Amino acid sequence: MTDTMWLEQAVALAVRNVNNGGGPFGAIILRDGILLGTGQNRVTRDLDPSAHAEIVAIRSACKEADSFSLAGCTLYTSCEPCPMCLATALWARLDRVVYAADRDDAAKGGFDDRAFYDLFGTGRANEHHDWPTKVDELRIPQAYDPFDAWLAKQDRTDY
């Protein structure tokens, strides 16, 4: 199947989700043409602000692949991933993300994607005076202790 065909399926998932009371987002993850996971927006259904279609699909694909890494995979999504979903795609090591609608389309649909992209474009978290959520660094002497423990652990699984 082509990119267009997979995107059409992601969009169809999104439309079905709306018809079932969910948000207008759908996602599919493939590796070597094999479907590993799908996701639909479940924010309101699950009362989980992180249950975006892309993240649901990533969780599903990781379980199917029995790995936290989705290297070699492509994410097809009905809309450009928001910053949270894009960061998750980066953490999952996806090779590629292909989307249909963009952040401006999402904004026209009443979603904050554009605003969040603009917000993150303003600078680092400690330069967030215009952010609606206050973010403060409070450096304590033990702040690096978890990383010391991690680096000292000989049998750790790097990611």
Side-chain angles (χ1 to χ4, degrees), residues 18-98:
V18 169
N19 293 334
N20 292 326
F25 303 97
I28 294 170
I29 296 179
L30 302 170
R31 179 183 283 144
D32 298 324
I34 298 168
L35 181 67
L36 288 183
T38 64
Q40 294 170 302
N41 182 283
R42 302 204 182 287
V43 170
T44 57
R45 189 198 84 177
D46 294 353
L47 304 177
D48 178 355
S50 70
H52 290 199
E54 297 89 343
I55 291 176
V56 172
I58 288 168
R59 290 173 181 159
S60 173
C62 284
K63 284 182 183 171
E64 180 67 22
D66 195 29
S67 176
F68 58 83
S69 174
L70 295 176
C73 293
T74 299
L75 167 65
Y76 293 92
T77 182
S78 61
C79 188
E80 180 180 12
C82 74
M84 175 182 69
C85 293
L86 184 57
T88 304
L90 292 169
W91 276 109
R93 309 296 195 247
L94 286 158
D95 282 8
R96 188 168 170 234
V97 175
V98 181

Side-chain angles (χ1 to χ4, degrees), residues 108-132:
K108 289 175 194 169
F111 292 87
D112 294 329
D113 300 52
R114 161 58 71 197
F116 289 157
Y117 267 105
D118 291 347
L119 182 67
F120 286 124
T122 63
R124 294 173 37 120
N126 63 355
E127 300 166 358
H128 69 280
H129 55 79
D130 292 331
W131 288 29

